Amino acid sequence: MPNSHIPVITIDGPTASGKGTVAHLVAERLGFHMLDSGSLYRLTALQALRRAVPLEDEHGIAKLAEHLQVTFTGGEILLGHENVAHAIRAEEVGNMASKIAALPTVRQALFALQLGFRKAPGLVADGRDMGTVIFPNAQLKIFLTASTQARAERRYKQLIGKGFSANMNDLLADLQARDERDMNRAVAPLAPAADAHIIDSSNMVALEAVDEVLKLWAQVRHKS
């Protein structure tokens, strides 16, 4: 099957909108491959922090991104042979990742890597520019959003549940700063694709959002 004919569902949205959880569950239900593009930036950030490569060294960070050896398998995110799913969720890594994502050379370095995840029988790709930049011809594009308050509460529960310390006011301020940065960056700003279906998950649990995505996917398959 030619690569361009392999079905792709993109799920974009702001930080802590629940897109990662929803994307994993949709991929699981459909038996599709999964691309968590946000973790590619987190993995790059983790490498930069571990190797003391400063944010100002854009070329050095792009080199790290270019040579990432990453595998998504079940709930694990393997960097080489190390499961770093827990390590990349630290707030320090997340903050660095958001800043790194604004660097054009880093985004270019990760472009081909992301395209390589498109394999049969299909792909669910979650991130911020999956439907606008990486897979503009995806069969279904979702923009999953939620209020800042709802997202801060989710992030708080997530961090506490994983043993990290968290402060609600700090999380709210951090999310607002990240939204501002992501929406106003010069390269691939956060915005729904023109043909994306917008789902507000503020008052939804993850499974309700998953059902909504699967319903839209069924409609797409029925038309094709």
Side-chain angles (χ1 to χ4, degrees):
M1 181 187 285
N3 182 284
S4 61
H5 292 102
I6 294 170
V8 176
I9 298 172
T10 61
I11 303 181
D12 291 314
T15 298
S17 60
K19 61 187 183 295
T21 301
V22 171
H24 270 99
L25 291 170
V26 169
E28 200 173 77
R29 295 266 193 100
L30 296 174
F32 281 11
H33 296 282
M34 170 71 202
L35 167 58
D36 175 358
S37 70
S39 54
L40 297 181
Y41 292 98
R42 285 177 175 268
L43 287 162
T44 305
L46 181 66
Q47 290 285 68
L49 290 165
R50 285 179 171 181
R51 299 185 185 186
V53 179
L55 190 63
E56 296 73 33
D57 184 3
E58 188 172 337
H59 178 73
I61 292 174
K63 274 297 202 188
L64 292 177
E66 194 178 329
H67 294 102
L68 282 179
Q69 293 183 315
V70 56
T71 309
F72 299 104
T73 170
E76 295 185 344
I77 298 171
L78 301 179
L79 181 60
H81 297 292
E82 180 192 358
N83 181 12
V84 294
H86 184 74
I88 64 169
R89 292 298 154 194
E91 283 300 288
E92 179 189 22
V93 176
N95 283 325
M96 179 78 158
S98 182
K99 292 168 185 169
I100 280 175
L103 302 176
T105 51
V106 176
R107 302 193 73 84
Q108 189 57 44
L110 290 174
F111 187 79
L113 183 65
Q114 292 173 91
L115 293 181
F117 280 86
R118 188 175 194 170
K119 296 172 185 172
L123 174 69
V124 179
D126 104 72
R128 287 176 175 75
D129 63 352
M130 294 297 96
T132 53
V133 176
I134 308 299
F135 299 106
N137 297 316
Q139 284 84 347
L140 175 63
K141 300 176 188 178
I142 304 293
F143 191 83
L144 189 65
T145 188
S147 68
T148 311
Q149 183 68 35
R151 290 188 287 129
E153 288 170 3
R154 287 173 190 168
R155 178 50 56 86
Y156 180 84
K157 288 175 186 172
Q158 182 185 56
L159 290 170
I160 295 297
K162 291 185 176 180
F164 293 111
S165 60
N167 175 281
M168 182 62 76
N169 289 333
D170 289 346
L171 287 173
L172 272 168
D174 179 52
L175 284 176
Q176 287 163 349
R178 284 200 212 182
D179 287 350
E180 182 75 17
R181 193 160 57 232
D182 291 341
M183 288 188 289
N184 293 301
R185 66 187 179 213
V187 181
L190 173 66
D195 52 349
H197 297 267
I198 298 174
I199 299 175
D200 187 331
S201 69
S202 300
N203 300 308
M204 284 182 181
V205 296
L207 288 176
E208 289 175 311
V210 169
D211 287 343
E212 191 65 27
V213 174
L214 291 173
K215 191 192 307 176
L216 290 166
W217 179 241
Q219 291 170 7
V220 168
R221 300 305 283 169
H222 182 68
K223 289 176 185 173
S224 61

PDB file of all heavy atoms in Angstrom, residues 179-209:
ATOM      1  N   ASP A 179       0.307  28.385  26.164  1.00  0.00           N
ATOM      2  CA  ASP A 179      -0.689  28.663  25.115  1.00  0.00           C
ATOM      3  C   ASP A 179      -0.283  29.884  24.305  1.00  0.00           C
ATOM      4  O   ASP A 179      -0.338  29.885  23.073  1.00  0.00           O
ATOM      5  CB  ASP A 179      -2.069  28.902  25.739  1.00  0.00           C
ATOM      6  CG  ASP A 179      -2.711  27.619  26.263  1.00  0.00           C
ATOM      7  OD1 ASP A 179      -2.178  26.526  25.979  1.00  0.00           O
ATOM      8  OD2 ASP A 179      -3.738  27.725  26.952  1.00  0.00           O
ATOM      9  N   GLU A 180       0.121  30.927  25.024  1.00  0.00           N
ATOM     10  CA  GLU A 180       0.530  32.181  24.376  1.00  0.00           C
ATOM     11  C   GLU A 180       1.711  31.924  23.440  1.00  0.00           C
ATOM     12  O   GLU A 180       1.727  32.372  22.289  1.00  0.00           O
ATOM     13  CB  GLU A 180       0.927  33.196  25.461  1.00  0.00           C
ATOM     14  CG  GLU A 180       1.335  34.563  24.945  1.00  0.00           C
ATOM     15  CD  GLU A 180       0.162  35.411  24.478  1.00  0.00           C
ATOM     16  OE1 GLU A 180      -0.995  35.105  24.825  1.00  0.00           O
ATOM     17  OE2 GLU A 180       0.411  36.390  23.755  1.00  0.00           O
ATOM     18  N   ARG A 181       2.684  31.179  23.951  1.00  0.00           N
ATOM     19  CA  ARG A 181       3.887  30.879  23.170  1.00  0.00           C
ATOM     20  C   ARG A 181       3.543  29.999  21.966  1.00  0.00           C
ATOM     21  O   ARG A 181       3.990  30.249  20.852  1.00  0.00           O
ATOM     22  CB  ARG A 181       4.889  30.164  24.087  1.00  0.00           C
ATOM     23  CG  ARG A 181       6.297  30.050  23.527  1.00  0.00           C
ATOM     24  CD  ARG A 181       7.316  29.803  24.648  1.00  0.00           C
ATOM     25  NE  ARG A 181       7.013  28.624  25.440  1.00  0.00           N
ATOM     26  CZ  ARG A 181       6.922  28.609  26.777  1.00  0.00           C
ATOM     27  NH1 ARG A 181       7.094  29.711  27.465  1.00  0.00           N
ATOM     28  NH2 ARG A 181       6.660  27.502  27.429  1.00  0.00           N
ATOM     29  N   ASP A 182       2.725  28.967  22.178  1.00  0.00           N
ATOM     30  CA  ASP A 182       2.396  28.027  21.101  1.00  0.00           C
ATOM     31  C   ASP A 182       1.540  28.669  20.015  1.00  0.00           C
ATOM     32  O   ASP A 182       1.688  28.366  18.831  1.00  0.00           O
ATOM     33  CB  ASP A 182       1.671  26.803  21.666  1.00  0.00           C
ATOM     34  CG  ASP A 182       2.583  25.925  22.526  1.00  0.00           C
ATOM     35  OD1 ASP A 182       3.815  26.046  22.392  1.00  0.00           O
ATOM     36  OD2 ASP A 182       2.063  25.141  23.337  1.00  0.00           O
ATOM     37  N   MET A 183       0.621  29.556  20.432  1.00  0.00           N
ATOM     38  CA  MET A 183      -0.289  30.173  19.449  1.00  0.00           C
ATOM     39  C   MET A 183       0.380  31.294  18.661  1.00  0.00           C
ATOM     40  O   MET A 183      -0.043  31.602  17.553  1.00  0.00           O
ATOM     41  CB  MET A 183      -1.537  30.702  20.153  1.00  0.00           C
ATOM     42  CG  MET A 183      -2.473  29.604  20.629  1.00  0.00           C
ATOM     43  SD  MET A 183      -4.065  30.205  21.262  1.00  0.00           S
ATOM     44  CE  MET A 183      -3.572  30.972  22.800  1.00  0.00           C
ATOM     45  N   ASN A 184       1.429  31.893  19.226  1.00  0.00           N
ATOM     46  CA  ASN A 184       2.030  33.064  18.585  1.00  0.00           C
ATOM     47  C   ASN A 184       3.416  32.838  18.004  1.00  0.00           C
ATOM     48  O   ASN A 184       4.040  33.770  17.519  1.00  0.00           O
ATOM     49  CB  ASN A 184       2.086  34.227  19.590  1.00  0.00           C
ATOM     50  CG  ASN A 184       0.690  34.718  19.958  1.00  0.00           C
ATOM     51  OD1 ASN A 184      -0.074  35.129  19.099  1.00  0.00           O
ATOM     52  ND2 ASN A 184       0.347  34.644  21.227  1.00  0.00           N
ATOM     53  N   ARG A 185       3.884  31.571  18.035  1.00  0.00           N
ATOM     54  CA  ARG A 185       5.211  31.326  17.468  1.00  0.00           C
ATOM     55  C   ARG A 185       5.158  31.485  15.949  1.00  0.00           C
ATOM     56  O   ARG A 185       4.114  31.280  15.319  1.00  0.00           O
ATOM     57  CB  ARG A 185       5.720  29.934  17.874  1.00  0.00           C
ATOM     58  CG  ARG A 185       4.946  28.787  17.304  1.00  0.00           C
ATOM     59  CD  ARG A 185       5.413  27.455  17.890  1.00  0.00           C
ATOM     60  NE  ARG A 185       4.644  26.354  17.347  1.00  0.00           N
ATOM     61  CZ  ARG A 185       4.342  25.262  18.024  1.00  0.00           C
ATOM     62  NH1 ARG A 185       4.731  25.136  19.270  1.00  0.00           N
ATOM     63  NH2 ARG A 185       3.659  24.294  17.451  1.00  0.00           N
ATOM     64  N   ALA A 186       6.299  31.833  15.372  1.00  0.00           N
ATOM     65  CA  ALA A 186       6.370  32.108  13.935  1.00  0.00           C
ATOM     66  C   ALA A 186       6.196  30.841  13.101  1.00  0.00           C
ATOM     67  O   ALA A 186       5.634  30.872  12.013  1.00  0.00           O
ATOM     68  CB  ALA A 186       7.707  32.771  13.607  1.00  0.00           C
ATOM     69  N   VAL A 187       6.695  29.716  13.616  1.00  0.00           N
ATOM     70  CA  VAL A 187       6.645  28.457  12.867  1.00  0.00           C
ATOM     71  C   VAL A 187       5.548  27.552  13.422  1.00  0.00           C
ATOM     72  O   VAL A 187       5.511  27.258  14.610  1.00  0.00           O
ATOM     73  CB  VAL A 187       8.008  27.729  12.954  1.00  0.00           C
ATOM     74  CG1 VAL A 187       7.966  26.427  12.155  1.00  0.00           C
ATOM     75  CG2 VAL A 187       9.122  28.620  12.445  1.00  0.00           C
ATOM     76  N   ALA A 188       4.632  27.112  12.538  1.00  0.00           N
ATOM     77  CA  ALA A 188       3.568  26.164  12.894  1.00  0.00           C
ATOM     78  C   ALA A 188       2.860  26.524  14.209  1.00  0.00           C
ATOM     79  O   ALA A 188       2.874  25.746  15.156  1.00  0.00           O
ATOM     80  CB  ALA A 188       4.139  24.747  12.980  1.00  0.00           C
ATOM     81  N   PRO A 189       2.248  27.705  14.272  1.00  0.00           N
ATOM     82  CA  PRO A 189       1.541  28.067  15.507  1.00  0.00           C
ATOM     83  C   PRO A 189       0.365  27.134  15.783  1.00  0.00           C
ATOM     84  O   PRO A 189      -0.194  26.537  14.857  1.00  0.00           O
ATOM     85  CB  PRO A 189       1.055  29.491  15.219  1.00  0.00           C
ATOM     86  CG  PRO A 189       0.982  29.583  13.733  1.00  0.00           C
ATOM     87  CD  PRO A 189       2.093  28.717  13.220  1.00  0.00           C
ATOM     88  N   LEU A 190       0.024  27.004  17.070  1.00  0.00           N
ATOM     89  CA  LEU A 190      -1.101  26.157  17.461  1.00  0.00           C
ATOM     90  C   LEU A 190      -2.406  26.767  16.968  1.00  0.00           C
ATOM     91  O   LEU A 190      -2.777  27.872  17.354  1.00  0.00           O
ATOM     92  CB  LEU A 190      -1.137  26.012  18.989  1.00  0.00           C
ATOM     93  CG  LEU A 190      -2.358  25.296  19.577  1.00  0.00           C
ATOM     94  CD1 LEU A 190      -2.371  23.834  19.153  1.00  0.00           C
ATOM     95  CD2 LEU A 190      -2.371  25.403  21.088  1.00  0.00           C
ATOM     96  N   ALA A 191      -3.093  26.039  16.093  1.00  0.00           N
ATOM     97  CA  ALA A 191      -4.386  26.484  15.571  1.00  0.00           C
ATOM     98  C   ALA A 191      -5.050  25.291  14.903  1.00  0.00           C
ATOM     99  O   ALA A 191      -4.364  24.422  14.366  1.00  0.00           O
ATOM    100  CB  ALA A 191      -4.200  27.607  14.549  1.00  0.00           C
ATOM    101  N   PRO A 192      -6.391  25.224  14.955  1.00  0.00           N
ATOM    102  CA  PRO A 192      -7.050  24.109  14.275  1.00  0.00           C
ATOM    103  C   PRO A 192      -6.913  24.224  12.761  1.00  0.00           C
ATOM    104  O   PRO A 192      -6.910  25.328  12.211  1.00  0.00           O
ATOM    105  CB  PRO A 192      -8.520  24.246  14.706  1.00  0.00           C
ATOM    106  CG  PRO A 192      -8.669  25.656  15.179  1.00  0.00           C
ATOM    107  CD  PRO A 192      -7.329  26.109  15.653  1.00  0.00           C
ATOM    108  N   ALA A 193      -6.759  23.088  12.097  1.00  0.00           N
ATOM    109  CA  ALA A 193      -6.773  23.083  10.627  1.00  0.00           C
ATOM    110  C   ALA A 193      -8.145  23.566  10.167  1.00  0.00           C
ATOM    111  O   ALA A 193      -9.141  23.421  10.884  1.00  0.00           O
ATOM    112  CB  ALA A 193      -6.503  21.668  10.116  1.00  0.00           C
ATOM    113  N   ALA A 194      -8.206  24.129   8.976  1.00  0.00           N
ATOM    114  CA  ALA A 194      -9.468  24.671   8.456  1.00  0.00           C
ATOM    115  C   ALA A 194     -10.555  23.608   8.402  1.00  0.00           C
ATOM    116  O   ALA A 194     -11.745  23.903   8.592  1.00  0.00           O
ATOM    117  CB  ALA A 194      -9.235  25.269   7.078  1.00  0.00           C
ATOM    118  N   ASP A 195     -10.157  22.345   8.158  1.00  0.00           N
ATOM    119  CA  ASP A 195     -11.133  21.266   8.036  1.00  0.00           C
ATOM    120  C   ASP A 195     -11.164  20.359   9.278  1.00  0.00           C
ATOM    121  O   ASP A 195     -11.630  19.226   9.210  1.00  0.00           O
ATOM    122  CB  ASP A 195     -10.854  20.436   6.781  1.00  0.00           C
ATOM    123  CG  ASP A 195      -9.408  19.943   6.696  1.00  0.00           C
ATOM    124  OD1 ASP A 195      -8.567  20.417   7.487  1.00  0.00           O
ATOM    125  OD2 ASP A 195      -9.119  19.083   5.844  1.00  0.00           O
ATOM    126  N   ALA A 196     -10.667  20.862  10.405  1.00  0.00           N
ATOM    127  CA  ALA A 196     -10.661  20.060  11.635  1.00  0.00           C
ATOM    128  C   ALA A 196     -12.019  20.099  12.333  1.00  0.00           C
ATOM    129  O   ALA A 196     -12.744  21.096  12.261  1.00  0.00           O
ATOM    130  CB  ALA A 196      -9.586  20.572  12.585  1.00  0.00           C
ATOM    131  N   HIS A 197     -12.358  19.018  13.006  1.00  0.00           N
ATOM    132  CA  HIS A 197     -13.541  18.964  13.869  1.00  0.00           C
ATOM    133  C   HIS A 197     -13.097  19.377  15.270  1.00  0.00           C
ATOM    134  O   HIS A 197     -12.178  18.772  15.838  1.00  0.00           O
ATOM    135  CB  HIS A 197     -14.117  17.543  13.914  1.00  0.00           C
ATOM    136  CG  HIS A 197     -14.595  17.044  12.592  1.00  0.00           C
ATOM    137  ND1 HIS A 197     -15.907  17.167  12.172  1.00  0.00           N
ATOM    138  CD2 HIS A 197     -13.933  16.425  11.581  1.00  0.00           C
ATOM    139  CE1 HIS A 197     -16.037  16.642  10.964  1.00  0.00           C
ATOM    140  NE2 HIS A 197     -14.853  16.184  10.582  1.00  0.00           N
ATOM    141  N   ILE A 198     -13.718  20.411  15.815  1.00  0.00           N
ATOM    142  CA  ILE A 198     -13.326  20.898  17.140  1.00  0.00           C
ATOM    143  C   ILE A 198     -14.170  20.216  18.215  1.00  0.00           C
ATOM    144  O   ILE A 198     -15.400  20.228  18.156  1.00  0.00           O
ATOM    145  CB  ILE A 198     -13.459  22.434  17.224  1.00  0.00           C
ATOM    146  CG1 ILE A 198     -12.505  23.076  16.205  1.00  0.00           C
ATOM    147  CG2 ILE A 198     -13.140  22.927  18.640  1.00  0.00           C
ATOM    148  CD1 ILE A 198     -12.622  24.573  16.072  1.00  0.00           C
ATOM    149  N   ILE A 199     -13.475  19.597  19.180  1.00  0.00           N
ATOM    150  CA  ILE A 199     -14.146  18.940  20.298  1.00  0.00           C
ATOM    151  C   ILE A 199     -13.694  19.605  21.590  1.00  0.00           C
ATOM    152  O   ILE A 199     -12.498  19.643  21.892  1.00  0.00           O
ATOM    153  CB  ILE A 199     -13.803  17.427  20.347  1.00  0.00           C
ATOM    154  CG1 ILE A 199     -14.274  16.721  19.068  1.00  0.00           C
ATOM    155  CG2 ILE A 199     -14.428  16.776  21.582  1.00  0.00           C
ATOM    156  CD1 ILE A 199     -13.858  15.253  18.987  1.00  0.00           C
ATOM    157  N   ASP A 200     -14.645  20.170  22.337  1.00  0.00           N
ATOM    158  CA  ASP A 200     -14.344  20.773  23.635  1.00  0.00           C
ATOM    159  C   ASP A 200     -14.560  19.708  24.710  1.00  0.00           C
ATOM    160  O   ASP A 200     -15.688  19.275  24.948  1.00  0.00           O
ATOM    161  CB  ASP A 200     -15.252  21.982  23.887  1.00  0.00           C
ATOM    162  CG  ASP A 200     -14.855  22.752  25.141  1.00  0.00           C
ATOM    163  OD1 ASP A 200     -14.300  22.133  26.080  1.00  0.00           O
ATOM    164  OD2 ASP A 200     -15.099  23.969  25.198  1.00  0.00           O
ATOM    165  N   SER A 201     -13.478  19.291  25.342  1.00  0.00           N
ATOM    166  CA  SER A 201     -13.548  18.195  26.307  1.00  0.00           C
ATOM    167  C   SER A 201     -13.603  18.672  27.763  1.00  0.00           C
ATOM    168  O   SER A 201     -13.392  17.881  28.675  1.00  0.00           O
ATOM    169  CB  SER A 201     -12.342  17.262  26.127  1.00  0.00           C
ATOM    170  OG  SER A 201     -11.150  17.925  26.524  1.00  0.00           O
ATOM    171  N   SER A 202     -13.888  19.976  27.963  1.00  0.00           N
ATOM    172  CA  SER A 202     -13.903  20.531  29.327  1.00  0.00           C
ATOM    173  C   SER A 202     -14.779  19.718  30.265  1.00  0.00           C
ATOM    174  O   SER A 202     -14.431  19.484  31.424  1.00  0.00           O
ATOM    175  CB  SER A 202     -14.396  21.985  29.314  1.00  0.00           C
ATOM    176  OG  SER A 202     -13.558  22.792  28.533  1.00  0.00           O
ATOM    177  N   ASN A 203     -15.946  19.285  29.765  1.00  0.00           N
ATOM    178  CA  ASN A 203     -16.894  18.543  30.601  1.00  0.00           C
ATOM    179  C   ASN A 203     -17.041  17.093  30.175  1.00  0.00           C
ATOM    180  O   ASN A 203     -18.067  16.460  30.402  1.00  0.00           O
ATOM    181  CB  ASN A 203     -18.265  19.242  30.568  1.00  0.00           C
ATOM    182  CG  ASN A 203     -18.180  20.659  31.098  1.00  0.00           C
ATOM    183  OD1 ASN A 203     -17.662  20.888  32.180  1.00  0.00           O
ATOM    184  ND2 ASN A 203     -18.655  21.617  30.323  1.00  0.00           N
ATOM    185  N   MET A 204     -15.991  16.571  29.535  1.00  0.00           N
ATOM    186  CA  MET A 204     -16.014  15.182  29.074  1.00  0.00           C
ATOM    187  C   MET A 204     -14.959  14.370  29.819  1.00  0.00           C
ATOM    188  O   MET A 204     -13.904  14.894  30.177  1.00  0.00           O
ATOM    189  CB  MET A 204     -15.653  15.087  27.580  1.00  0.00           C
ATOM    190  CG  MET A 204     -16.714  15.502  26.614  1.00  0.00           C
ATOM    191  SD  MET A 204     -16.056  15.227  24.920  1.00  0.00           S
ATOM    192  CE  MET A 204     -17.446  15.803  23.937  1.00  0.00           C
ATOM    193  N   VAL A 205     -15.236  13.084  30.002  1.00  0.00           N
ATOM    194  CA  VAL A 205     -14.169  12.166  30.408  1.00  0.00           C
ATOM    195  C   VAL A 205     -13.543  11.649  29.121  1.00  0.00           C
ATOM    196  O   VAL A 205     -14.119  11.782  28.037  1.00  0.00           O
ATOM    197  CB  VAL A 205     -14.701  11.001  31.281  1.00  0.00           C
ATOM    198  CG1 VAL A 205     -15.264  11.532  32.580  1.00  0.00           C
ATOM    199  CG2 VAL A 205     -15.739  10.184  30.531  1.00  0.00           C
ATOM    200  N   ALA A 206     -12.353  11.070  29.235  1.00  0.00           N
ATOM    201  CA  ALA A 206     -11.599  10.659  28.044  1.00  0.00           C
ATOM    202  C   ALA A 206     -12.401   9.729  27.131  1.00  0.00           C
ATOM    203  O   ALA A 206     -12.389   9.890  25.908  1.00  0.00           O
ATOM    204  CB  ALA A 206     -10.301   9.980  28.469  1.00  0.00           C
ATOM    205  N   LEU A 207     -13.125   8.780  27.715  1.00  0.00           N
ATOM    206  CA  LEU A 207     -13.854   7.806  26.892  1.00  0.00           C
ATOM    207  C   LEU A 207     -14.965   8.452  26.069  1.00  0.00           C
ATOM    208  O   LEU A 207     -15.285   7.989  24.976  1.00  0.00           O
ATOM    209  CB  LEU A 207     -14.424   6.685  27.764  1.00  0.00           C
ATOM    210  CG  LEU A 207     -13.379   5.705  28.326  1.00  0.00           C
ATOM    211  CD1 LEU A 207     -14.033   4.700  29.262  1.00  0.00           C
ATOM    212  CD2 LEU A 207     -12.636   4.984  27.202  1.00  0.00           C
ATOM    213  N   GLU A 208     -15.537   9.544  26.584  1.00  0.00           N
ATOM    214  CA  GLU A 208     -16.570  10.264  25.813  1.00  0.00           C
ATOM    215  C   GLU A 208     -15.940  10.929  24.597  1.00  0.00           C
ATOM    216  O   GLU A 208     -16.512  10.919  23.498  1.00  0.00           O
ATOM    217  CB  GLU A 208     -17.250  11.311  26.698  1.00  0.00           C
ATOM    218  CG  GLU A 208     -18.158  10.718  27.763  1.00  0.00           C
ATOM    219  CD  GLU A 208     -18.713  11.775  28.708  1.00  0.00           C
ATOM    220  OE1 GLU A 208     -17.938  12.604  29.222  1.00  0.00           O
ATOM    221  OE2 GLU A 208     -19.940  11.781  28.919  1.00  0.00           O
ATOM    222  N   ALA A 209     -14.745  11.499  24.782  1.00  0.00           N
ATOM    223  CA  ALA A 209     -14.038  12.124  23.660  1.00  0.00           C
ATOM    224  C   ALA A 209     -13.622  11.064  22.639  1.00  0.00           C
ATOM    225  O   ALA A 209     -13.705  11.286  21.424  1.00  0.00           O
ATOM    226  CB  ALA A 209     -12.816  12.887  24.162  1.00  0.00           C
TER     227      ALA A 209
END
